[in-house]
Amino acid sequence: MNEPKDSRNITEVDLLLINGHVVTLNDRDERHPHGAVAIRGEKIFAVGSCEAVQESVNARRTLDVTGCVVLPGLINSHTHAAMTLFRGLADDLPLMDWLQKHVFPAEQKLTEDWVYRGTLLACAEMIRSGTTTFCDMYLFEHKVAEAASHAGMRALVGEVLYDFPSPNYGPWENGLKHTEELIRAWQKDPLVRIAVEPHALYTCSPDLLKKCFALAEKYDVPVITHLSETQSEVDQILEQYGCRPVVHLENLGLLSSRLIADHCVALHESDMELLARRSVRVVHNPESNMKLASGIAPVPQLLSMGIPVALGTDGCASNNDLDLFGEMDTCAKLHKVSSLDPTAMPALTVLHMATRNGAKALGLENQVGELSPGKLADVIVVDFQKPHLTPVYDPVSHLVYAARGADVSHSIIHGRVVMEDRQLKTLDFEEIAGHARQFARLITS
Amino acid sequence: MNEPKDSRNITEVDLLLINGHVVTLNDRDERHPHGAVAIRGEKIFAVGSCEAVQESVNARRTLDVTGCVVLPGLINSHTHAAMTLFRGLADDLPLMDWLQKHVFPAEQKLTEDWVYRGTLLACAEMIRSGTTTFCDMYLFEHKVAEAASHAGMRALVGEVLYDFPSPNYGPWENGLKHTEELIRAWQKDPLVRIAVEPHALYTCSPDLLKKCFALAEKYDVPVITHLSETQSEVDQILEQYGCRPVVHLENLGLLSSRLIADHCVALHESDMELLARRSVRVVHNPESNMKLASGIAPVPQLLSMGIPVALGTDGCASNNDLDLFGEMDTCAKLHKVSSLDPTAMPALTVLHMATRNGAKALGLENQVGELSPGKLADVIVVDFQKPHLTPVYDPVSHLVYAARGADVSHSIIHGRVVMEDRQLKTLDFEEIAGHARQFARLITS
């Protein structure tokens, strides 16, 4: 029988997870093999051993997660969510054929409604695979923000900007205005934030890039761009501006901690030093880089220089899923074989990339990425009672090398249960799937 | 209303799958988007459009698999099944530390009972992830044969043989006798066959290797060995025998279609030519080769030389799962990035590696690996009604780039349903998991 609690020290909480193996990913990498997490409102109230936490709280609702691992929700730091609509449309093609004969023509059929629906499909997939925050770049991004909000997902999103006219906003000047409106509209939202997102150095003039940074500074929001994704991009910038992409940004005075740089595959040692010195945030997308044959980003070196590299899936046209569990596995293995060093990229390092480092990259390090009292309650539960997760010596090993998105049983974002026993609580998958099939018929007819 | 069937042309079948997208993987790569598969006894009786198949059969049982893809069961052409017991025991370590400080000491605790239980755990995982046939090398392999038989899985297994004494059979002479007894004992089994399995060239003398091949010839069974897994193996054989591993086997007169060679990572062009000329069967294990930092096997070249390379997961100590869907995805992406060619290893090629090529490698090409009338009924059903498999342009793309083991809903081996709606019909997972946890406590106490 439990002893009566001392009511003076008891706090009422909304949700209490008990009997899980809690992997906090806090600074001390604390684990609680028979642990509990208490959630009050949108925040984590307590994390610790079951005994200690249960003594200090009265819970409106208690969830017994015996046999499960509880950890911070995963952070997909680079994707193009609505491209779920193009999943498997065209694979195994030369890059230019893929883009010009398949992706671009299909994108001509996009409207803001399709982007909304495609993003809902992505949110359904991400929630079901343990992602609680995503960072997006695409067209009609106001609908991405709406979809994330509807799904109850945390997101950093921004309209893609480039020199040529956009099907959404027309000329780039309008794109900047559109972005500014988005920033203002979502400024107080608890889940969705806006970034300024110039597409890449080969699609944006120095003038546009500078205006993007000025806008971002005005509102103190991040700038996100694709950077050094391929050697041919580097060659093109070298030819156009006489310097490598990273140096081009440095020359424009735009390398800073405000910048989130996606891919960073084709880097020289000197590029890496510049990125580190300027505290640029880097997002690694191993599966997309592999599938498009872009190359292998020097992630172990970037990490060793103190850059907290984050992890992303990129869009579904080049992956072809949004499962960060699979991405972690591939990430760890890819860098071991490419360096011929089995000690490269240990499991915990890779798990940090998909959680803590993601939070740092997106400027959310004070809010999410670990299970600690006071942080926002973005929490996932992974059910280890499966053959492929048996036996357990170290849960972190399984999270990276054996678990997959389908093993996530519960997902909580901002204190709200958005998936329970694999059932989505905020989204109607049947309706979403119907729309996606309708779109597939549209672009293949 | 259906028209009455012409009873003269109607065959009674045991199981009929209807309304699936049937991917036959036969020589003409036939697909039936609204297809059916009829199974009679242990064999496939008919494959085709729903209308055509339903007209020709009366089924004792009909399964409606609307929204699912039906394909041949996957073939895991190289594993060490019982090593599921060591899943996640030690990762991210230098190879020799991993082997000598963790794997070998843990293996000292193995008994034939533990091998039996570890293999049952592997069978549970493989059945649940769509594998219907596996090829195994380990200790106490008579228990692996028993476990496969109990699980209802098709398997090619063999006791590992090497120069030093084995905990199972003692000196190698006994190992050959033990293998011969196994061959005789399982000769008439419908599911399990035995191979002769010298471990590797650096652990087996030329004399032992020759005796292995002589035994295999006597009973017309395959020989299986690890070959050129790492550059250090190549260096060691070069130093010991003055030639590379493939040439060493050629000099001994042992390179032939009887040989199944696992890994084949560190190959020269001349090695590849020899392997192709002698019709050696090659098994690729990309995830293990990546995790152990062994290197990248030249699979596109081997395929282009006409070697039907098969796919394996290797053991769980170096992967750490047995999911061939994930293995296919990684395989396709790894070779694209390593060749910097996005057209390398297209999805269908990789799917063939895990099905048709596996059947060829294991000498089962007349029995399994495709859905065709007269072949054995090893059939899996993959449920595509999930966010990450929506929409569908090409099911083969999803099977390789987006599906995972957890998407398999039904598995049929030799005409018997061994998994139905993800429920194992031949195995008691709770009991198996209890044993695995007991073993984990034993080796960590």
Side-chain angles (χ1 to χ4, degrees), chain A residues 391 393, chain B residues 82-87 110 114-115 117-118 121 436 439 443:
Chain A
Y393 296 96
Chain B
M83 292 186 91
T84 48
L85 295 174
F86 307 133
R87 187 199 312 277
L110 283 177
W114 288 122
V115 167
R117 292 159 175 175
L121 177 60
F439 183 80
I443 63 165

Side-chain angles (χ1 to χ4, degrees), chain A residues 142-408:
Chain A
H142 54 296
K143 303 305 280 187
V144 176
E146 279 178 35
S149 176
H150 176 74
M153 285 195 77
R154 199 175 304 287
L156 174 62
V157 311
E159 183 75 19
V160 67
L161 304 167
Y162 30 54
D163 295 336
F164 34 93
S166 152
N168 180 16
Y169 52 76
W172 61 261
E173 295 87 345
N174 292 359
L176 285 168
K177 268 187 230 152
H178 179 67
T179 300
E180 184 160 11
E181 284 159 17
L182 276 179
I183 294 173
R184 287 163 172 272
W186 291 89
Q187 218 156 16
K188 307 235 154 131
D189 193 82
L191 290 174
V192 176
R193 291 190 319 143
I194 306 296
V196 185
E197 309 205 4
H199 173 260
L201 277 54
Y202 57 95
T203 47
C204 297
S205 68
D207 185 36
L208 175 54
L209 288 170
K210 282 191 199 160
K211 288 200 165 67
C212 285
F213 275 80
L215 177 62
E217 265 168 35
K218 179 173 171 189
Y219 290 96
D220 193 21
V221 299
V223 175
I224 303 178
T225 196
H226 296 104
L227 184 63
S228 280
E229 183 172 354
T230 63
Q231 183 56 43
S232 77
E233 171 188 333
V234 174
D235 295 342
Q236 192 180 333
I237 297 298
L238 262 170
E239 193 177 312
Q240 209 169 341
Y241 300 104
C243 57
R244 301 172 57 82
V246 174
V247 176
H248 179 50
L249 281 178
E250 170 75 356
N251 292 345
L252 293 171
L254 304 180
L255 273 193
S256 76
S257 65
R258 189 173 299 289
L259 179 64
I260 302 171
D262 298 322
H263 296 296
C264 295
V265 168
L267 297 180
H268 270 176
E269 187 84 15
S270 55
D271 295 329
M272 292 188 245
E273 282 162 8
L274 252 176
L275 291 171
R277 200 173 331 135
R278 299 294 183 225
S279 304
V280 172
R281 288 113 198 270
V282 172
V283 182
H284 178 41
N285 304 273
E287 293 196 12
S288 171
N289 298 157
M290 292 169 83
K291 185 154 183 281
L292 298 179
S294 304
I296 301 173
V299 175
Q301 292 95 304
L302 292 169
L303 287 170
S304 74
M305 289 175 172
I307 299 177
V309 181
L311 197 64
T313 58
D314 208 352
C316 273
S318 61
N319 186 314
N320 295 348
D321 64 55
L322 303 173
D323 186 345
L324 273 175
F325 282 94
E327 200 78 30
M328 287 195 285
D329 188 10
T330 303
C331 176
K333 288 171 177 163
L334 175 64
H335 294 288
K336 290 175 196 299
V337 78
S338 79
S339 63
L340 291 179
D341 175 5
T343 72
M345 303 291 273
L348 186 61
T349 300
V350 178
L351 185 56
H352 279 176
M353 291 175 67
T355 52
R356 292 170 63 92
N357 294 8
K360 283 180 197 161
L362 307 187
L364 298 170
E365 59 268 52
N366 296 324
Q367 299 179 43
V368 294
E370 63 182 89
L371 300 185
S372 296
K375 298 266 174 173
L376 293 171
D378 290 9
V379 184
I380 60 173
V381 178
V382 182
D383 183 359
F384 269 36
Q385 298 166 100
K386 315 265 183 85
H388 67 286
L389 301 171
T390 302
V392 185
Y393 296 96
D394 171 9
V396 169
S397 165
H398 283 8
L399 289 171
V400 171
Y401 293 123
R404 286 300 173 271
D407 300 315
V408 179

Side-chain angles (χ1 to χ4, degrees), chain B residues 4-119:
Chain B
K5 297 175 186 176
D6 178 349
S7 63
R8 286 164 303 179
N9 297 320
I10 299 293
T11 303
E12 300 289 324
V13 298
D14 296 296
L15 180 60
L16 178 63
L17 307 178
I18 58 167
N19 299 330
H21 189 128
V22 178
V23 175
T24 65
L25 300 181
N26 68 11
D27 289 338
R28 285 163 294 158
D29 187 29
E30 280 177 300
R31 321 248 177 120
H32 305 285
H34 182 234
V37 177
I39 294 168
R40 185 177 152 90
E42 76 277 15
K43 289 191 177 171
I44 296 171
F45 174 75
V47 179
S49 74
C50 257
E51 296 66 31
V53 174
Q54 282 185 291
E55 260 196 10
S56 68
V57 302
N58 261 337
R60 287 204 306 139
R61 187 180 171 205
T62 298
L63 210 60
D64 186 335
V65 294
T66 298
C68 299
V69 172
V70 182
L71 72 155
L74 305 185
I75 297 174
N76 189 344
S77 294
H78 177 58
T79 189
H80 312 283
M83 292 186 91
T84 48
L85 295 174
F86 307 133
R87 187 199 312 277
L89 170 66
D91 303 295
D92 311 321
L93 295 170
L95 192 67
M96 283 301 129
D97 275 12
W98 176 72
L99 274 174
Q100 290 171 359
K101 293 188 187 158
H102 300 273
V103 177
F104 292 158
E107 285 187 335
Q108 292 301 314
K109 308 261 176 104
L110 283 177
T111 61
E112 61 172 37
D113 282 347
W114 288 122
V115 167
Y116 180 74
R117 292 159 175 175
T119 304

Side-chain angles (χ1 to χ4, degrees), chain A residues 92-104:
Chain A
D92 311 321
L93 295 170
L95 193 67
M96 283 302 129
D97 275 11
W98 175 72
L99 274 173
Q100 290 170 0
K101 293 189 187 159
H102 299 274
V103 177
F104 292 159

